Amino acid sequence: MFFYLSLHLDIIINGLNNTIMKKLFLLCAMATLFVGQSFAQQQQAQIPSSAGSLSPQDFGYFNHLSAGVSLGTDGIGIELAAPITYDFAVRMGYSLMPKFKYSKGLDLGLSDQDKDDMNRGTYKGAFLSPEVDLEGKLNMGDFKLLVDWYPFKSSSFHATAGFFIGRSTVVEVTNKRAFIKQGYDAGIELGDASADVNHGMNRYTLKPFTDGSLKIEAKANAFKPYLGVGFGRVVPKGRIGVQCDFGVQFWGKPEVYGNMEYIDQSSGKAEPRYEKIDKNRIISQNKDYKDLKDAIKTIEKIRVYPVLNIRINGRLF
């Protein structure tokens, strides 16, 4: 379950999930296991506190400060944290996902004759090529405010609650180059391409903006509540500590947006509007467009996003 969209959103999901994100999950899971075992071994051996380490009585209301860097499924992050008591700590920071990119060609549904004419240079239609070159990229970046609760005096196990807030667009897909000739009013027909069907009522066209750019976005809630658990103290007893967390962001119901043109039934006019793409109006038999419809169905079912990360914390004072 990772990033969503591209005019082949499902391909981006599979591509990123099966490579980058699986490695991050594996790394963080191994680190979590290692940290948990290390803490258990320390407590069992009753290793004495090193010089300069803090005791439980030293944790008071915002009397210490730590800084940390993290890596995980929410991206690369930085944090500042302070204790409230020995049992509670608060942290705030920012996480940013690198803009991984994925390219894909989208078939425009031209006939074999049109493609032959295009190869010979005799094509008279609106398009510059048989397909449009698309590029999908991640667009995730969030401020976060979290509170950790340590329920056991002898363990660094903690439960965490809080929120992430930032960009609502999580994936953005654009065309890499123009695909429509200047002076032509055309787009990607996701509905029925026959102009005389219900006087055009079954047409559903993805249109570029006036500058020729095409944009599709997968959006979730900008405000994302978070719940999770982990090991490690965000304000370490020593100078340096390791922390691992795993939890979920609650995204709400993601939706896919695009610049769509269709016949308004009340006015009878065809006007482009940047709005949620209605998957039920995608009735074209083009395989790429069927895949898009299936991808939108999948995206709308994903309400939570898994967060798994590892963090190194340094106590400043």
Side-chain angles (χ1 to χ4, degrees), residues 1 14 30-31 92 107 161 167 181 191 204 246 252 292-293 308 312:
M1 312 168 54
N14 291 335
M30 291 176 63
M92 60 183 295
D107 182 25
R167 302 169 181 169
K181 297 177 182 178
Y204 195 52
F246 44 96
L292 171 62
K293 183 176 182 177
L308 179 62
I312 298 177

Side-chain angles (χ1 to χ4, degrees), residues 7-283:
L7 255 208
H8 255 194
L9 306 176
D10 53 334
I11 292 179
I12 282 189
I13 296 171
N14 291 335
L16 290 178
N17 273 353
N18 292 336
T19 55
I20 299 166
M21 296 317 301
K22 278 190 175 179
K23 292 178 181 178
L24 283 177
F25 272 116
L26 181 60
L27 173 64
C28 294
M30 291 176 63
T32 301
L33 180 61
F34 172 77
V35 172
Q37 288 178 338
S38 296
F39 281 120
Q41 290 171 359
Q42 272 194 348
Q43 291 154 15
Q44 186 175 15
Q46 296 183 345
I47 296 176
S49 299
S50 60
S53 65
L54 302 178
S55 66
Q57 293 74 26
D58 293 326
F59 287 82
Y61 187 70
F62 288 95
N63 63 342
H64 296 285
L65 181 69
S66 71
V69 293
S70 64
L71 174 66
T73 59
D74 57 341
I76 300 169
I78 56 173
E79 288 185 359
L80 290 175
I84 300 175
T85 66
Y86 182 69
D87 300 324
F88 290 91
V90 62
R91 47 185 160 124
M92 60 183 295
Y94 186 81
S95 58
L96 178 67
M97 180 64 69
K99 292 185 179 294
F100 299 117
K101 296 180 180 180
Y102 182 85
S103 296
K104 174 68 180 177
L106 180 73
D107 182 25
L108 291 172
L110 298 182
S111 66
D112 292 338
Q113 182 62 54
D114 285 339
K115 292 178 182 178
D116 290 340
D117 291 344
M118 193 172 286
N119 291 332
R120 290 193 296 264
T122 58
Y123 174 69
K124 304 298 184 182
F127 297 110
L128 294 170
S129 64
E131 63 179 28
V132 54
D133 293 325
L134 298 176
E135 181 177 80
K137 60 183 179 182
L138 299 177
N139 193 43
M140 297 172 62
D142 293 285
F143 167 82
K144 52 190 171 183
L145 181 63
L146 306 172
V147 175
D148 294 328
W149 172 47
Y150 300 87
F152 308 114
K153 296 292 185 182
S154 61
S155 172
S156 66
F157 172 83
H158 58 267
T160 303
F163 64 86
F164 288 65
I165 185 169
R167 302 169 181 169
S168 60
T169 299
V170 293
V171 176
E172 180 180 274
V173 178
T174 57
N175 55 320
K176 298 170 69 173
R177 57 185 61 85
F179 66 101
I180 296 175
K181 297 177 182 178
Q182 289 188 352
Y184 281 80
D185 182 20
I188 301 172
E189 184 55 56
L190 303 179
D192 194 320
S194 176
D196 59 356
V197 175
N198 295 331
H199 304 289
M201 290 299 181
N202 283 350
R203 301 197 67 146
Y204 195 52
T205 311
L206 179 62
K207 300 281 295 229
F209 295 102
T210 54
D211 62 357
S213 64
L214 186 72
K215 182 168 69 172
I216 303 174
E217 295 177 309
K219 293 178 175 286
N221 291 340
F223 180 83
K224 310 170 187 74
Y226 172 86
L227 290 175
V229 295
F231 290 96
R233 299 197 70 93
V234 70
V235 179
K237 293 181 178 180
R239 283 297 178 182
I240 302 294
V242 178
Q243 181 179 5
C244 288
D245 288 279
F246 44 96
V248 292
Q249 296 175 2
F250 295 90
W251 276 17
K253 181 180 179 180
E255 297 176 335
V256 180
Y257 284 75
N259 194 43
M260 306 305 300
E261 180 181 86
Y262 52 90
I263 304 296
D264 186 279
Q265 295 188 13
S266 59
S267 66
K269 296 181 180 180
E271 297 181 355
R273 302 172 184 170
Y274 189 76
E275 61 186 18
K276 174 187 173 182
I277 297 177
D278 183 355
K279 62 181 181 296
N280 295 320
R281 299 196 65 170
I282 303 176
I283 59 176

Side-chain angles (χ1 to χ4, degrees), residues 279-280 282-283 289-298:
K279 62 181 181 296
N280 295 320
I282 303 176
I283 59 176
Y289 307 162
K290 287 182 178 180
D291 289 345
L292 171 62
K293 183 176 182 177
D294 291 340
I296 293 175
K297 289 180 181 178
T298 301

